[in-house]
């Protein structure tokens, strides 16, 4: 009776306490009779019946009136039910989700009803599916998966359910990766490498990621792709997929100098200016410095260029920096003159947005560090699909957190315009 103790008994008690349903209520009486006559064999039916009761009562609260009750204060009417399948600790069940319709003439203020239990369940199922996916990725056997689920109180997980959960997760993630996009004012691109076993050979594959800054200043994970390399064709396919999904209005692309990205960006977003990440530029400059003494000061000197009040002053400071290093470090001076201007595009944008736009840290820290933390223990993925599955599941959670947050990464465009 563990499932009943964990799931049904608290829900029945809640119905009795909250809605005044006593033990002689027909709905609860029928539920208890079902359990009495059939025991644990009827657990799935009992779970569905209890959840149906809770959802119907919640609909009554939402509408401000019981079924068939005459009330001038009701906010809408009951409108039947729609079936929905759920994977629960008692197995797969079909529940009847209550529907509503507005009171004639009050459609503008009507709020459609959806049970809170299913909203919470969607999140919980995603967490379980992500766990199953992670275990699958690491080569955990079905028997071990069932053992882990048993420890969580999910004793009825079968091999078919594990396979179904993985397939459902893949479908959900595929839909998320292909969801429609809209206006994206700032586009941040990045890549990292993971090891994948393909055809019996371990290969390094690129995980391409894209984050967008929307007109209201919030961040959104736009997409992810797993490619054999950072070659132009792969970056171009990735950018083409974002455009095909409706991405428009891009005013700035921010990234490091990834192989193949420059040509792909020019082909897909030819009129969009590019801001090369200043953080990576400074690190690259240090690697080009010929002596330890130059390494120590080149970062501070570039910081003075980055922090100039305007583009003209930044250009002047860069010219002075090149002149200083030209006599003793001509190769460094040449590198500075060719590469540093690519990090000054940000001066064409509002001062209130420059600090966040001059690097790609908006994607590096929350995304790349989390991907690294979750993938480093795996070391070698069995295939590219498993890598894409795990990375996509992590990015969905990051994106959900961003969408739920009231904080904005940048001031909204209309605020800057004012």
């Amino acid at each position: 009776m563990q499932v009943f103790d964990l799931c049904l008994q608290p829900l029945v008690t809640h119905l009795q306490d909250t809605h005044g349903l006593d033990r002689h209520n027909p709905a609860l009486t029928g539920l208890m009779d079902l359990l009495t006559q059939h025991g644990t064999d009827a657990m799935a039916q009992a779970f569905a019946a209890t959840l149906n009761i809770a959802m119907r009562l919640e609909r009554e609260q939402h509408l401000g009136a019981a079924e068939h009750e005459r009330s001038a204060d009701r906010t809408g009417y009951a409108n039947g039910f729609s079936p929905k399948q759920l994977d629960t600790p008692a197995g797969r069940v079909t529940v009847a989700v209550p529907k509503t319709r507005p009171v004639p003439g009050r459609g503008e203020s009507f709020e459609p009803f959806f049970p809170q239990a299913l909203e919470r369940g969607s999140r919980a199922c995603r967490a379980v599916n992500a766990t199953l996916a992670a275990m699958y990725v690491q080569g955990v056997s079905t028997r071990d998966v069932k053992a882990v689920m048993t420890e969580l109180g999910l004793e009825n997980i079968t091999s078919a359910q594990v396979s179904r959960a993985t397939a459902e997760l893949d479908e959900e993630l595929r839909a998320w990766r292909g969801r429609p996009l809209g206006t994206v004012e700032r586009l941040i691109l990045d890549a990292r490498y993971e090891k994948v076993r393909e055809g019996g050979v371990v290969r390094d594959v690129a995980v391409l990621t894209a984050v967008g800054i929307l007109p209201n200043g919030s961040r959104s994970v736009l997409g992810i792709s797993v490619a054999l390399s950072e070659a132009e064709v792969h970056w171009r396919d990735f950018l083409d997929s974002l455009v095909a999904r409706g991405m428009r209005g891009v005013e700035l692309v921010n990234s490091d100098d990834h192989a193949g990205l420059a040509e792909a960006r020019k082909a897909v977003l030819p009129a969009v200016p590019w801001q090369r990440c200043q953080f990576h530029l400074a690190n690259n400059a240090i690697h080009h410095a010929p002596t330890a003494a130059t390494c120590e000061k080149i970062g501070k000197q570039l910081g003075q260029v980055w922090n100039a009040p305007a583009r003209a002053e930044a250009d002047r400071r860069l010219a002075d920096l090149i002149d200083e290093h030209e006599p003793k470090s001509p190769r460094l001076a040449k590198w500075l003159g060719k590469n540093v201007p690519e990090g000054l595009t940000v001066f064409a944008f509002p001062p209130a947005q420059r600090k966040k736009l001059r690097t790609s840290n908006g994607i590096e820290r929350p995304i790349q560090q989390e991907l690294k933390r979750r993938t480093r223990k795996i070391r070698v993925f069995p295939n590219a699909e498993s890598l894409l599955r795990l990375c996509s599941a992590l990015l969905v959670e990051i994106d959900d957190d961003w969408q739920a947050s009231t904080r904005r990464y940048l001031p909204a465009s209309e605020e800057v315009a004012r």
Side-chain angles (χ1 to χ4, degrees), residues 80-216:
F81 304 88
S82 61
K84 181 176 179 64
Q85 286 188 328
L86 298 175
D87 284 320
T88 74
R92 171 162 286 198
V93 300
T94 300
V95 297
V97 181
K99 299 192 296 182
T100 56
R101 58 182 174 86
V103 175
R106 301 184 196 172
E108 294 182 359
S109 60
F110 176 71
E111 294 185 7
F113 168 73
F114 192 78
Q116 295 183 27
L118 297 189
E119 291 177 349
R120 290 194 296 270
S122 296
R123 186 80 175 192
C125 286
R126 179 182 295 169
V128 172
N129 283 346
T131 302
L132 291 174
M135 289 189 286
Y136 173 81
V137 162
Q138 297 182 61
V140 179
S141 67
T142 300
R143 178 180 301 176
D144 290 337
V145 169
K146 292 173 65 176
V148 172
M149 292 298 103
T150 299
E151 290 297 320
L152 297 175
L154 307 179
E155 298 187 22
N156 294 326
I157 295 293
T158 65
S159 58
Q161 286 176 303
V162 173
S163 299
R164 185 167 60 243
T166 303
E168 290 178 353
L169 177 62
D170 284 342
E171 183 61 31
E172 180 182 351
L173 296 177
R174 189 179 301 109
W176 178 81
R177 290 193 300 268
R179 73 195 189 282
L181 302 177
T183 301
V184 176
E185 295 187 343
R186 316 287 188 250
L187 177 62
I188 305 174
L189 302 171
D190 205 2
R192 63 175 287 103
Y193 278 84
E194 298 288 351
K195 293 186 181 298
V196 168
R197 191 179 305 277
E198 290 286 352
V201 178
V202 175
R203 303 184 57 176
D204 288 325
V205 299
V207 180
L208 313 181
T209 47
V211 165
I213 311 299
L214 309 183
N216 67 354

Side-chain angles (χ1 to χ4, degrees), residues 249-320:
V250 180
E251 299 175 354
L252 180 69
V253 174
N254 187 303
S255 73
D256 192 17
D257 187 27
H258 297 286
L261 177 55
E263 294 303 318
R265 174 176 50 80
K266 293 174 184 177
V268 180
L269 303 168
V272 179
W274 175 50
Q275 167 65 28
R276 184 171 174 181
C277 177
Q278 293 180 356
F279 175 80
H280 290 99
L281 262 174
N283 286 340
N284 293 338
I286 291 174
H287 294 151
H288 283 80
T291 65
T294 304
C295 286
E296 290 181 3
K297 66 179 183 179
I298 190 67
K300 295 181 180 179
Q301 292 175 324
L302 282 175
Q304 294 176 352
V305 177
W306 309 145
N307 295 322
R311 176 62 187 262
E313 177 61 17
D315 289 335
R316 187 191 67 78
R317 294 181 184 183
L318 175 59
D320 291 344

